[in-house]
Structures are given as structure tokens and as C-alpha cells.
Amino acid sequence: MPTFILKDSARENKIFYSRVVIAWLLMLLGLLIIVARLIFLQVTEYEHFDTLSEKNRIKILPLPPARGLIYDRNGVLLADNRVSYSLEIIPERVEELDFTLAELGKIITIEEDDIERFKKQLHKFHSSKGVPLRHRLTEEEMARLSVQKHHFPEMNITGNLSRHYPLGATGVHAIGYVGRINEQELKTIDKSEYLGSNYIGKVGIEKYYEKELHGTTGFQHAETNVRGRIVRILERSPPVPGKNLYLNIDITLQKYAESLIAKERAAVVAIEPSSGGVLALVSTPSYDPNLFVNGIDFKTYNGLRDSPDRPLINRAIRGQYPPGSTVKAFVGLAGLEYGVRSSHSRTWCRGWFSLKGQKHRYRDWKKTGHGSVNFSQSLEQSCDVYFYSLAHDLGVDRLHKFMNRFSFGKRTGIDITGEVSGLMPSREWKRRVLGKLWYPGETIIVGIGQGFMLATPLQLAVATATLSNRGQFKQPRVVFAMDDAKFNEMNVVPPSIKETVTLKADYYWNVAIAGMKAVVHGRRGTARKVAIGSKYRFAGKTGTAQVIKIKQSESYNARRLAKKFHDHALFIAFAPLKNPRIAIAVIVENGGGGSKTAAPIAKKILDYYLLQGSVSETK
Amino acid sequence: MQISWHNNSFLHLDYPLLFGLLLLFAIGLLTLYSAGGQNLDLIFRQILRFLVGFGILLLLAQIRTQKIVSFVPWVYMFGILLLLLVLIMGESTNGSQRWINLGLFRFQPSEIMKLAVPLMVAWYLTSKPLPPTSWRLLVALTIIFIPVFLVIKQPDLGTSLLIAASGMFVLLLAGLSWRTIFGFISLTVLSTPILWHYVLHEYQRERIRILLNPERDPAGAGYHIIQSKIAIGSGGFSGKGWLNGTQSHLQFLPERSTDFIFAVYSEELGLLGVLVLLAIYFFVLSRGMYIALKAQDSFARLLAGSLTLTVFVYIFVNMGMVSGLLPVVGLPLPLISYGGTSLVTLMAGFGLIMAIHTHRRLLSD
């Protein structure tokens, strides 16, 4: 190698110098390209990337509010929040899912349903977030799991506030329950408000007062790393807890009423006439709302759903029954109001009624008839013929209009969702809905609460309360007051007067009430047996509603009929006569006669409420 | 005519270049301290590597360039042999075979070729007058592409690219005619479809697709580029401040200590910091070119020039890929990125450059 000899020719030098300059310029150009790129990223697009960086950095985490508690009118806790422990599986840590599930199944009970629900939810979560496998772990299960915890890195036990109903099935049809938010509900709610919430009111008070009970979700802005771990909290707006609700319901009365009809398919609604406050709202059979809170298993649910006794139906507000003779006081008032009858007008009852020129006999419940009866007497004895003839004279449209004012055929506006309106027929209704003409014969049976007419137990109780109030209609209210944990004060929900039923003469009320009083206290009262030895005076009306049509030639014989074709037993009442404190409607499905089955139940409830002093008047 | 040696009587070091290198390394340590989560252990290990590299630099700088010339073919042959060994019995990490386990430490033979190829090409070309003839050009290309091919096979696209570049730079500086250069460039462009289908591995094709559209896999392969662009962009003009980069500290940015450390630097020190860093790099590169210009024989000037240009390729490709201009090929940022082998190779290269400059004979009247 010619190492020490300078062999560079001038040409080689020249080429090399030019190449070095070009290479140097190329490097400069390259670095300038980088500078240009950096200017683009850091200056031109700065806002864009800064936003992205903040989005990476800051996660907004919801702080779910504690759901408001529910108390009865005496402060007995009806719904609270308890810490319940759930077993979660973190998918990204699972090696072999079926193996994990099988192994966990050896430690605690994991039902097929749990696994099915788990697998459904599995893909809805990010794989680093725990998916619940079992809810409501018992203490024993917790202990067993914690011993085995190191074998299951994919396992996580979390404590959540879970809704709990300490009294179980008591009052469930009024209180309702909460459950996990389903997809339909997701479409209607403000999602940002429910980011951290597991539950939403499904029925009853829990649903109607969802907004108040739920509270307001708080948020915290947290700096999180790439795995979602919180590094520090930047900003925090605390949640506002839901309001606590105080119900008008007296839970001891409710419980007592439930115990009386526990074995029946029945409903009781008791209302305080002065306020419209619902003292008891019973529908049996009942069910345990706690089953629904964290998702009911299919077997239990199907059992409840398919039971012939329909425990899930709230009979008090959704059961529609022919009200039978319980409507007679109201029909009678219509007669006075429209001047079709006077309080002294008498009707001759010979055991049946028929329209002129027609053979069909509308039979009285008493074959021999009641003889000559006025309004009060026909109430006392529950004479059908008086009301057949009265209804015929009134016509269905006037009847419809008058009964509507007592809330028959329309919703009472109670603060529980799902109330149905019953049916108070009219000619217009039949034409619109059935597309048929109204026959005069159909008016006649509406006079005794049969035929097309349907009413809910709630409507009967509200109408009775209105009557006992001499026309003052108070909207039924389950919630008495709500308090604000934040301001530590209680806001009473004021009773609302929806409409006052005013009659042409105020004494009409006296006539109707006198008739109803005679039902229990009168010599010939249909329910006189229940008032024997009563420590107070009250007013009532029996009702027996036919479930099937009895042919003209036949007579009703309970023993020959299957239970489900037995008559419904009804009774409405209020007490005391002056300044009534309670109005009540009782219905026992297929219970037979109102006087025999429903009236004694009602009387016991009245006794319990009025005599045992279980209720403190003021809170 | 009197011949005397360059006046670095005690240690043969080029102090301007050394100053630039130390400055870069200091910046690197500060960035690494932030990127590594203030892990001092990481810093000590990096310093240790630097010291090893510096030792080699010191050693090479003391040897007169002309003395190493005779070893060049042997070094090259030895490197080829090792590459073959790697392919036959190398250890694989991340699906590619790059390492030879020497018991005490693992060793990446492709690193040797980054120096051996420019040395060999320069040696070969300067054995006859320049510019090279077509025949000699062909031989030179063969010298370059045998190791490039072997490294591609490992597969390691980034390193093979650098080896190819370092050899080609020698050709460029040796006076390869522009016609040949442009011919070669057009040939490369035309052969792109063939390269795409037959030479590139699927994962390499995917990297290029992702460069063109990172959103096609935002959680997977595109994630690197997306997060790195966010880090750089959100740094803005003056940066978020040292140790305050959220993209890096909250671990959104992957490989933040190694290949993507430039994103950490840009996020925390902003455009201003980037300009300072680029200025230092430009100073180092310019010094390298100046040394090439002042070198006194063809071999030395070709070597100094091509090694400097290779350093530039490192810088350009790394910054280009981190800022989303180039596909992710996995090259570290010289003297800044955490990592051993390439740091040692780089220091060795700078050692050769220093040797060229400090062993000049001063010509005086």
C-alpha cells in the first residue's frame, strides 16, 4: 500500500472536495427536513397534539352518589344501601377461563346462570377491568376465597353499595325495587349521570322517584397512566347523594294487612282522606324485592312470572275488577245530582227489573226483593233493582261523566308508575273502541258496577276517600316527605287537591254517607255482622263482582264452580264518620261475597289503625 | 520540506469533536434520567457503556490510520464469518437471529460490519487511482451487499440499511459518476415492487403500511407512531419541562429510553431544545466532514467522510421515524438512546475519525 506517498491527483481532489460539499449540504438538508417536521408537529399542530396528550393523561372518573333511603311514616327503614361483596374476574389475567371457573366452582357455588351472565358481559368490558362473576358473597365464601386468593391472580373481590330491602316482601308493591340498568333504560337515561351507578328504579316508588333517589353523580379528573392507574387527582366535584324519602305508608299497618290476606290473591289500599296519603298498599301474593337487585336467576324469575297467582302484578294499581255494588253510593249520588231521584224517592223492588217490552229480567241478589226502598235503604240492603232503574234513567253518558269526577275510568295520579285507568264506559267509548252501538241494557248493569265497568282497588279507595271528604279529592300520595342530606332539612310533599266534587246540595253527601253507615250499623245492613261490638262508628259498602255470567235460568252456586270462577269479594269503608282518618278498599279475588270475606278484613284493618294507636299523627 | 506530526503530543484526541460528543452524551444522560423514570441504575449502566466505548475510541485514536489498513480485509472476512455463524447457530430474540453468545456477553456481529464495510470498500477502492472503473465498482458493490444480504436474512432491516449506506457513501465520495448514482437510484425505485414482495418480511411491509396510515392499527403497531407524534407535538415550542413529559412519565410512549427517546426530549424541551440538539449534531457532523476534507490520503478521507455520513443516517432515520416521516426501523439516536452495542460501535467510528485527524503530518516550508 502506498501509504506515505501522496497519490492524489488534482482531479481526484477536485471530485472529492465537491463530493464532500454536496454531502455536507445533503446533511444540512436532512436536518432541515427534521426541523421542518418538528415545526409542523410542535407549532402548527400543537393544539391538536396537546389535546390528544391531555386526553391520554386525564381520565374523568364518575363518583356515584349514594341512593336515597326510604323510610315509612314512623321512620322505619324500608330500603337502604349495604356493602355487598362481588367476585370479579379480570379477563386479561386469565390463562384458561374454563379452568378458572371450574376451580372457583370448587371453592364457592357458581351457578350456571352466573357463568352465563358473566360470559355475556365478558366482551362489554375492557380486558383489564373486572367482570362480575358472583354477587352477594357470604362471609363464609369471602373467607374461603381469601384463603385461596394467591392461586387466582385473575380474581378480584370488590365491595359495592348494594340496595337492600330489610323487610323483604313487605310493601314491595309500593316500594318497588331497583335492578341493574338494562339496554332499553340506557337509551332513555342521561348516560353521564349513570356512569358510576349500577342500579335504577324498576317499579314502585323506586322508579317514580328515581331522579330524587339517585342523586347527582360527581366527577373527578384523574391523571392516569397508560394502564389506567390513577397517579393523582387533579379536580373533584363531589356527588350529591339522593334524597331520603319518607312514605305515608305505616309499615306496621301494611304488614298487618298483608298478614290478613297472605294466602289470597287480594289487594288492600288504605288512604288518609285528609291528605291523600297512602297508609297501606297491599297486593298479594308478594315477592322478595332483594331477588331482583343484582339480577334474579332465570329459574326463580320464571317461577314468579308463570305462577297462576301472578305475584309480580301489583293488583292495587294494575288489577282491574268489576267493582260490583261498591259503586252504588256513587251511582246514587249521580241520581241526586242530576235530579233523577230525590233522597226520598222510592223504588219498588220485586226481585227483578226489566225494560219495557223486553223479556230479559235483571235479577236482584235477593229473589224475593227488598220492597219499597229509598237511596239510603237501597245502599243498606244493596238493592240492585233501585240502581238498575236509576242507571236506566240516568243513561250511561251522565253516569260516565259523574263517575269520572271520582276518578273512575281515569288514573288517580298516584306516585307509583304503572297505574292503569280502569274503565268507565260511555257510548262514545264503545263506538270508538269496540266500534259498536251502546245498548240500553248495558247501562243497567253498570248501575251495579258490572258489565263493562272496571276499577282498580286504588280507584275504589280514592273514590271512598273523596266521598268521606264530602267531595274533596286529594291525589293519593305514597311519599310524605323527602329530605336533603345536603341541607339537612325535610321537604313535605304538599297534598294536592286535584278537583273538588261539588254537588248541587251538600246534604246529598249526608244521604250517601248515612246509607253507607247503615250498611254496617243498620238493622238490615249487608255487613252488619262486622260492626257488632265496634268501638267506633263507620261507613262501608259491600260488593260482590261476578266473574262469569250466570245464565237466566241458573243460580249462582259456589260449591259447583271452580275457585277461579268464584265471585270477587269487595268492600269499601271509611272511619270514623266525622273527620275520617282512613278510607279503605279491599278486594279478594274469587273470595266469594263481599260481606262474608272482604268486610271482616277491612274491619280488622280499621280496628288496627284506629284502636291500636300504632300511628303517630304527626311526624 | 519538513515533516512533523500533528501537535497532539500526548493523547491523539480531536478536542472539538470530543467536546461535541460529550455534550451529546450529557444531554442523553439527562433525557435518559427523565425517560427511565429517574432510575439512577440505568444512568450508571449507560455511563459504563460510554466508558467502554470511550476506551475503544481512545485506543483507536492512538493508532495511525495507515497501520490499520493491512488489517482491514481480515476484519471484513472475520465479520462475514461471524454473520454466517449467526445465521447457522445464533440466538434469536424477538424472532430474529442477531446474537452470538460468547459466554460472558452476547455480541452482535452485524455491528462490526458497520465499520468493516466502509473500511473494506475504502481500502479496496484506494488501492488503485480514483474514480473507480466499472469493474472495480462491481467488486465494491459485492463487498457491500454480501454482508447487507446476510444481515437482512437475520432479519434486521435497520442495521442492513446502515451497512449499505456506509458502503455506498464511500462510493459516493470516491467520485462515482452522477450517471451511475442516479442510475442506481432509479434501479432501486424500479425494483421497489420486487423488494416489497420478495425481500421484505411481512412485519417490515406492515411497518411501512403503518407509517402511511398509523390509524390502521392504533392499539398495535401504529401505537408507537401515534403516541410518539403526540409526545412531540404536545411539547410545543418550549416543551413541558424536564421531568414533566406526561406522555413518557405516564408510560403512553413505548421504548422511551431507547429508540423513541427523541420523543421524550422533544416533549420536555420543545422545539427550542430540538434546535439546540440539532445544532450540536450539525456541529459534530460538520467537524467530521472537515476532518475528511483535511485528511491526507484517499483511504483516510473516504473513511472519515463515510463514517460521518453514516452517523448522519442514524440521526436522520431515527428522528424521521420517531416524528412519523419514516417507517419504524429500530435505529437508536446516536449518543442519546440507551443501549450498548451501537454506542460502542459509534465511539469506535469516532475513534477512527479522530485518528485520521490527529495523525496528520504537518507540511511546512
Side-chain angles (χ1 to χ4, degrees), chain A residues 355 358 362 392 438-446:
Chain A
L355 288 170
Q358 285 188 14
Y362 297 89
H392 178 64
W438 185 265
Y439 298 111
E442 291 166 341
T443 310
I444 290 162
I445 53 173
V446 168

Side-chain angles (χ1 to χ4, degrees), chain A residues 42, chain B residues 27-28 30-31 35 232 235 239-240 248 253 256 260-278 280 319 333 336:
Chain A
Q42 298 191 302
Chain B
I27 290 173
L30 288 174
T31 316
I232 296 173
K240 295 176 185 170
S248 51
L253 188 67
R256 53 199 170 276
F260 282 77
I261 199 166
F262 180 59
V264 178
Y265 181 85
S266 311
E267 182 186 20
E268 297 190 347
L269 299 174
L271 185 62
L272 275 179
V274 171
L275 290 175
V276 169
L277 181 67
L278 285 175
I280 300 171
M319 289 184 174
L333 187 62
I336 309 281

Side-chain angles (χ1 to χ4, degrees), chain A residues 202-310:
Chain A
K202 297 283 181 176
V203 291
I205 286 298
E206 290 272 28
K207 180 168 186 180
Y208 192 91
Y209 289 97
E210 172 60 27
K211 204 165 164 265
E212 288 80 2
L213 286 166
H214 181 261
T216 311
T217 299
F219 289 94
Q220 58 184 10
H221 293 234
E223 186 170 273
T224 51
N225 71 10
V226 69
R227 278 179 290 280
R229 183 164 299 136
I230 296 172
V231 180
R232 63 196 163 115
I233 304 295
L234 303 170
E235 229 184 292
R236 195 170 187 277
S237 64
V240 180
K243 290 172 179 171
N244 296 337
L245 298 187
Y246 295 88
L247 306 189
N248 278 308
I249 285 179
D250 173 359
I251 205 68
T252 55
L253 180 73
Q254 170 90 16
K255 216 183 232 171
Y256 178 70
E258 283 175 8
S259 72
L260 295 177
I261 53 172
K263 287 184 180 132
E264 307 284 348
R265 280 168 286 116
V268 171
V269 178
I271 289 177
E272 187 177 61
S274 60
S275 66
V278 175
L279 298 168
L281 189 134
V282 185
S283 171
T284 56
S286 186
Y287 59 91
D288 182 0
N290 291 308
L291 290 173
F292 287 85
V293 173
N294 283 313
I296 190 169
D297 64 276
F298 295 112
K299 220 173 90 190
T300 315
Y301 181 71
N302 290 345
L304 284 172
R305 189 192 57 193
D306 300 336
S307 160
D309 290 340
R310 314 289 301 277

Side-chain angles (χ1 to χ4, degrees), chain A residues 77-145:
Chain A
L77 189 59
L78 304 179
D80 68 345
N81 306 312
R82 288 193 181 173
V83 179
S84 95
Y85 293 94
S86 302
L87 169 64
E88 291 182 349
I89 301 289
I90 298 159
E92 69 177 9
R93 294 193 197 155
V94 175
E95 280 176 26
E96 180 66 50
L97 184 61
D98 290 328
F99 178 74
T100 300
L101 293 179
E103 286 299 302
L104 284 172
K106 288 176 192 166
I107 303 168
I108 57 165
T109 36
I110 296 170
E111 305 276 344
E112 279 298 311
D113 283 344
D114 293 325
I115 293 175
E116 199 171 315
R117 192 183 50 217
F118 170 77
K119 286 189 172 165
K120 257 189 207 166
Q121 290 183 319
L122 197 54
H123 303 288
K124 293 181 190 167
F125 292 83
H126 189 263
S127 66
S128 65
K129 298 261 158 55
V131 180
L133 175 64
R134 256 291 312 275
H135 294 290
R136 289 189 300 261
L137 296 170
T138 63
E139 278 188 23
E140 194 194 330
E141 286 173 326
M142 290 274 290
R144 265 189 266 160
L145 283 174

